[in-house]
Amino acid sequence: MDVKIINARMTQSKEDGFVGAVQFEVEGHQQAYEMALQSKRGKDWGYGLFFLDGSGNEEQLLLVEEEIEENDELFERLIEAGIAALQEQTEET
């Protein structure tokens, strides 16, 4: 599955841990996606997958979710994009 990350953001606080989102496109899919991320300590990540703009093809969403569940490399790539956005933001301040 060819995934192109288009935007990422992440915050970190003592109370909430890491909270962020990564927006991405999948080649051949009608809609872009957003994966919301959360981790208390940056090790075990929970996520939710949504269409970025409105509703879209539910079958395509389920295919992407299945790929994220089975493809550790893709899952790590999306998390790393969020962490990189946090690091960039931290360096700017």
Side-chain angles (χ1 to χ4, degrees):
M1 187 171 280
D2 189 18
V3 173
K4 177 184 173 191
I5 295 171
I6 53 177
N7 191 28
R9 62 187 183 283
M10 178 89 55
T11 61
Q12 180 184 15
S13 70
K14 199 172 201 174
E15 301 82 28
D16 298 326
F18 295 86
V19 177
V22 178
Q23 299 169 349
F24 60 96
E25 298 172 336
V26 176
E27 185 177 353
H29 287 219
Q30 300 166 351
Q31 287 275 17
Y33 301 94
E34 180 171 73
M35 186 167 101
L37 297 164
Q38 195 279 328
S39 177
K40 201 64 172 165
R41 294 181 182 85
K43 294 186 185 210
D44 295 320
W45 291 88
Y47 76 93
L49 183 64
F50 310 94
F51 292 111
L52 181 58
D53 295 312
S55 62
N57 184 314
E58 195 71 27
E59 288 179 23
Q60 289 182 341
L61 177 85
L62 294 174
L63 286 173
V64 172
E65 188 161 35
E66 183 177 319
E67 183 70 16
I68 289 170
E69 287 289 326
E70 295 179 7
N71 185 336
D72 292 339
E73 186 178 308
L74 174 59
F75 187 65
E76 289 296 323
R77 183 174 158 219
L78 294 168
I79 291 169
E80 288 171 7
I83 291 171
L86 174 63
Q87 290 172 341
E88 286 178 23
Q89 183 181 357
T90 303
E91 291 171 3
E92 290 176 3
T93 57

